[in-house]
Amino acid sequence: MLGPTCMTTAAQNRIPDSCQTLLSRLRRSTPPLARKLVFEGVGDRDVYNIAAPFELDGRQVIAGRVERRDVEHSDIVFFAEQGGTWWPIPAAATFPGLQDPCISFVGGGLVVGGVRFPVTVADGSVGWRMEFYRGTTLNNLLLFLTGPDKMKDIRLVELADERVGVLTRPQGAKGGRGKIGFLVSTSIETITAEAIQEAPLFQDQCRDEEWLGANEAHRLSNSLLGVLGHVAYFDRNEHRHYYPMAFCVNPCTGEASPPEIIACRADFPAGPAKRPDLVDVMFSGGLVRHGDGTATLYAGLSDAEAGCVRLPDPFARWASAPAEHTGTMTAERTPRGSVPSGHNRPNRFASKS
């Protein structure tokens, strides 16, 4: 009998590059066009770690993490722009206790995810857990999925055959400081915390002393997935350094490209930080592709502000990849826990360096 999920994996073929090596390759012919976003109507709280704007009911909407500078207890709030300033939408639901919103559209509906913190996890310790809500408007969103304990950066994307790709990010015994996994589910209803926990990891993307995670996934015109994420490390002073990155996934074979850093906190003017160790943090939120070879990246800055920057579209070259790199999306289902044929082929996206 065919099960609800198929697992995919990527072969390990290379030693991952360090964050600093990836950053050294960030070269631009012209300076990036970056600006900070202005949010009002939330009192003295900060708005950061935003998702990309999306259109709903004829207007552009941004979901943001809203939080006082001196605490880590936040709400997810929806904003609409008026006169260059983003204001809370009065009729929209808010999500007290949720951090770091993510947005996707699956099965014709809106899906909103966030990290609930703090929660008491199975071993009795304080931790976090992702929650996902879906609906058709900003005031009828209902909880439908809760992720595994202590796992952030779970992201959903509808595939070309209407199945659902799920990017995961375990830590600890399985993922170390944080590595990305991937599975495919027959539908949004069949995704479970257990399947998310069991998803195999891409093995060639990140050094063990560093970490990375997915922030948003785009289905490209050739059925590949363009993934926006972050890659990070601690320096010798235990200060965090976070960089937006992008990579590509073939959902049919599980092949994944190495990450490439696409922006950095220094693209923006200096500003406040939540703590001294968070100054050099740019946390990817979402990407708006313009169809002209450019895209706008939306992100949190230093856990205190939010901004956007116009860049060369990081997915453009993958979207135009030859058909042999895309595989064929079929309706055939793979039994749960198994790996589709072709998973052990060489990683054709892997760098030769």
Side-chain angles (χ1 to χ4, degrees), residues 310-324:
R310 190 147 181 154
L311 304 166
D313 184 347
F315 302 149
R317 64 187 176 90
W318 293 314
S320 60
E324 66 179 23

Side-chain angles (χ1 to χ4, degrees), residues 14 21 65 72 144 149 205-206 209 244 261 293 314 342:
R14 59 187 292 277
T21 297
R65 174 174 174 170
E72 198 176 343
F144 75 95
D149 289 350
Q205 290 193 312
C206 179
E209 66 272 19
I261 288 177

Side-chain angles (χ1 to χ4, degrees), residues 2 24 37 45 68-69 79 97 103 111 124 131 139 177 196 227 256 264 293 312 317 345 347:
L2 297 177
S24 72
L37 301 181
R45 295 183 293 173
R68 291 178 58 90
R69 186 76 54 85
F79 297 85
I103 304 293
V111 176
E131 296 177 358
N139 53 21
R177 288 188 167 179
I196 291 171
V227 180
C264 61
R317 64 187 176 90
R345 289 180 294 178
N347 184 349

Side-chain angles (χ1 to χ4, degrees), residues 49-65:
N49 288 9
I50 56 172
F54 60 96
E55 185 171 341
L56 193 67
D57 298 329
R59 61 181 168 183
Q60 292 290 303
V61 176
I62 280 182
R65 174 174 174 170

Side-chain angles (χ1 to χ4, degrees), residues 60-123:
Q60 292 290 303
V61 176
I62 280 182
R65 174 174 174 170
V66 180
E67 183 177 276
R68 291 178 58 90
R69 186 76 54 85
D70 58 348
V71 299
E72 198 176 343
H73 299 282
S74 63
D75 301 340
I76 289 178
V77 177
F78 293 101
F79 297 85
E81 189 177 21
Q82 182 178 351
T85 298
W86 294 86
W87 295 85
I89 300 173
T94 59
F95 294 88
L98 288 189
Q99 305 174 344
D100 301 343
C102 59
I103 304 293
S104 58
F105 288 86
V106 179
L110 170 66
V111 176
V112 178
V115 179
R116 183 161 297 283
F117 174 84
V119 298
T120 301
V121 298
D123 62 7

Side-chain angles (χ1 to χ4, degrees), residues 120-143:
T120 301
V121 298
D123 62 7
S125 64
V126 175
W128 52 88
R129 189 182 298 126
M130 284 203 71
E131 296 177 358
F132 291 86
Y133 297 76
R134 62 174 170 164
T136 55
T137 71
L138 297 179
N139 53 21
N140 69 0
L141 296 162
L142 298 176
L143 179 68

